[in-house]
Amino acid sequence: GCARHMAFKCQRWTLANVLPVAFVIWIIGTIWFLYGWLHLWVLLQLHVESALRDEARFQRGFIQACVSQSLTLLLLICFIRAIFTDPGSVPETPEWRNREYSLKAKYSSEDTKDRDGDKLEHHEVKQSGERRFCKWCDRYKPDRCHHCRVCRSCILRMDHHCPWIANCVGFRNHKFFFLLVFYALADVAFIIITMTESVTRAVTDETPSKHRFLLVFCMTLSVIMGLLLQMFFALHVWLMLKATTTIEFCEKRHRRTVVGGPVSWNVGIIKNMQAVLGSNFFLWLLPLSPPDGEGLYFERATRNPGEAQESSETAALLADQANKEEGASSSRAHGQAASSGAPESSAPEVTGDKAAAV
């Protein structure tokens, strides 16, 4: 069954979920082993007596070993925390479960207040203005919350479901996932830069064919992972600076704006980074101190009166267009029903005053 205190409402560790995680572990282990055996071991000259060692190479190997193992350790910690940290789900409280709760379809500014007394509102609603409700979880959705069909649960500030960690990336583990990508990229970049020396030596000097093949294989695998991680990390840095999740970025390109206009959570670069990496600047690059809060309410970007008026006008236009489309579809349905029950040559139906005159 599912682990307790986690967002999962299904069996988590199936074969389909284990295989991607096992593949990531294999890649990490393969690169780590080959780099240590074919590069660090040679530089450290551990198979040679101390008096016969090249001190310059030994010092270079010692520094590279410390840096690479530290990056690998941080990578593994972030990997484990991203897998086993609950991304966050909707609380089992009447506010979110009971349809008859006192909170109405549109939240007034007096509904809830944060610890500083600032007014909190829910801004993401349906086009009808009603609160978003998940029919699978039977709960209302907070802002930026989405239902994951893999986890079968509503995830707070959901970014995406990541099969490589067999978990959703949400409010509580977003920092660990972000640092996982960061340290993985830093680790493979460091390995590529430093292992170039060993690959060059294997090509120019006399080297066993097996060692030469494994060195090239390790370098190729590291370069491929580095290119993929570079693009992925650049995307997530951009999303973080824009205060946007992957799902929100995709929805903005395909969905129509909600009543009141599109919602922006972009409150400045520093606050946007704190929303992912935590409030303590000195702990941003450590897998500690996740963001503050419960993931239910988020600060919204302020809008000037002109933007608010434009959003209201846009909402009115969308509502008018929706009404016209609904009326047109009803007319078409009525016409199709009438034509199916009468011959094509029958006279059109007369209604209103003309019918009374007849």
Side-chain angles (χ1 to χ4, degrees):
C2 297
R4 297 182 61 183
H5 309 297
M6 292 286 284
F8 296 93
K9 294 181 179 178
C10 59
Q11 184 176 358
R12 183 182 186 187
W13 294 112
T14 62
L15 180 62
N17 293 336
V18 170
L19 287 179
V21 178
F23 180 69
V24 173
I25 295 174
W26 175 82
I27 291 178
I28 295 173
T30 300
I31 295 177
W32 176 82
F33 174 76
L34 294 178
Y35 179 76
W37 174 36
L38 300 175
H39 178 72
L40 294 179
W41 180 270
V42 176
L43 287 181
L44 293 173
Q45 307 162 73
L46 298 179
H47 57 288
V48 181
E49 296 182 3
S50 301
L52 302 178
R53 291 176 183 171
D54 185 339
E55 287 298 324
R57 290 181 61 189
F58 177 82
Q59 292 179 2
R60 192 165 66 253
F62 179 78
I63 295 174
Q64 293 180 12
C66 292
V67 174
S68 62
Q69 301 312 301
S70 298
L71 291 174
T72 303
L73 178 61
L74 289 169
L75 161 65
L76 292 175
I77 293 175
C78 294
F79 185 56
I80 293 172
R81 297 211 66 177
I83 292 176
F84 294 104
T85 299
D86 183 5
S89 55
V90 183
E92 296 185 8
T93 57
E95 176 184 356
W96 305 104
R97 292 187 62 88
N98 191 353
R99 287 179 177 267
E100 303 299 329
Y101 195 70
S102 60
L103 295 177
K104 303 300 181 183
K106 292 182 180 180
Y107 278 62
S108 67
S109 59
E110 298 178 355
D111 286 335
T112 51
K113 296 185 178 181
D114 63 6
R115 289 172 292 184
D116 299 327
D118 295 331
K119 296 176 181 178
L120 291 169
E121 298 179 356
H122 285 261
H123 302 284
E124 292 184 345
V125 294
K126 299 179 181 179
Q127 290 191 359
S128 61
E130 297 177 350
R131 297 173 64 184
R132 298 189 307 144
F133 188 82
C134 179
K135 62 182 180 181
W136 292 285
C137 297
D138 194 31
R139 299 180 192 179
Y140 289 105
K141 293 181 180 180
D143 288 339
R144 315 185 76 179
C145 176
H146 296 272
H147 183 86
C148 176
R149 295 187 178 183
V150 179
C151 300
R152 298 181 185 178
S153 177
C154 286
I155 306 300
L156 300 180
R157 202 186 69 188
M158 180 177 175
D159 188 89
H160 68 286
H161 181 86
C162 180
W164 308 112
I165 61 173
N167 199 358
C168 272
V169 178
F171 175 75
R172 295 177 183 169
N173 68 340
H174 195 169
K175 176 179 182 177
F176 306 132
F177 174 81
F178 183 86
L179 292 181
L180 167 63
V181 179
F182 170 74
Y183 283 118
L185 177 59
D187 203 1
V188 295
F190 184 80
I191 288 174
I192 292 171
I193 294 172
T194 56
M195 199 171 62
T196 303
E197 174 188 356
S198 295
V199 175
T200 303
R201 185 173 59 251
V203 173
T204 57
D205 299 346
E206 185 67 25
T207 305
S209 57
K210 182 178 70 173
H211 289 190
R212 183 185 297 110
F213 169 79
L214 291 176
L215 274 170
V216 174
F217 173 75
C218 182
M219 176 65 80
T220 304
L221 186 60
S222 299
V223 169
I224 293 174
M225 295 307 302
L227 292 175
L228 295 176
L229 288 168
Q230 183 180 13
M231 294 184 292
F232 197 65
F233 181 69
L235 170 65
H236 277 274
V237 168
W238 182 84
L239 291 174
M240 177 180 65
L241 297 180
K242 293 292 184 180
T244 304
T245 64
T246 302
I247 289 181
E248 291 168 351
F249 173 72
C250 296
E251 285 185 344
K252 285 181 180 179
R253 299 174 58 186
H254 301 289
R255 71 174 181 178
R256 295 166 63 181
T257 55
V258 297
V259 174
V263 180
S264 174
W265 310 105
N266 190 347
V267 291
I269 293 178
I270 299 300
K271 287 187 176 181
N272 293 346
M273 296 180 69
Q274 289 178 335
V276 175
L277 302 177
S279 57
N280 193 331
F281 169 80
F282 298 101
L283 299 179
W284 276 4
L285 296 181
L286 294 178
L288 304 169
S289 183
D292 301 329
E294 298 178 350
L296 301 174
Y297 306 100
F298 300 93
E299 183 180 357
R300 181 188 180 187
T302 57
R303 296 185 298 171
N304 56 48
E307 291 176 334
Q309 181 179 1
E310 182 181 354
S311 297
S312 300
E313 294 175 355
T314 303
L317 291 174
L318 288 174
D320 182 62
Q321 183 179 356
N323 292 332
K324 289 181 179 179
E325 292 176 355
E326 182 178 358
S329 61
S330 299
S331 300
R332 287 195 299 268
H334 180 73
Q336 292 174 359
S339 62
S340 62
E344 294 182 359
S345 60
S346 60
E349 182 181 3
V350 180
T351 59
D353 296 336
K354 294 182 179 179
V358 175

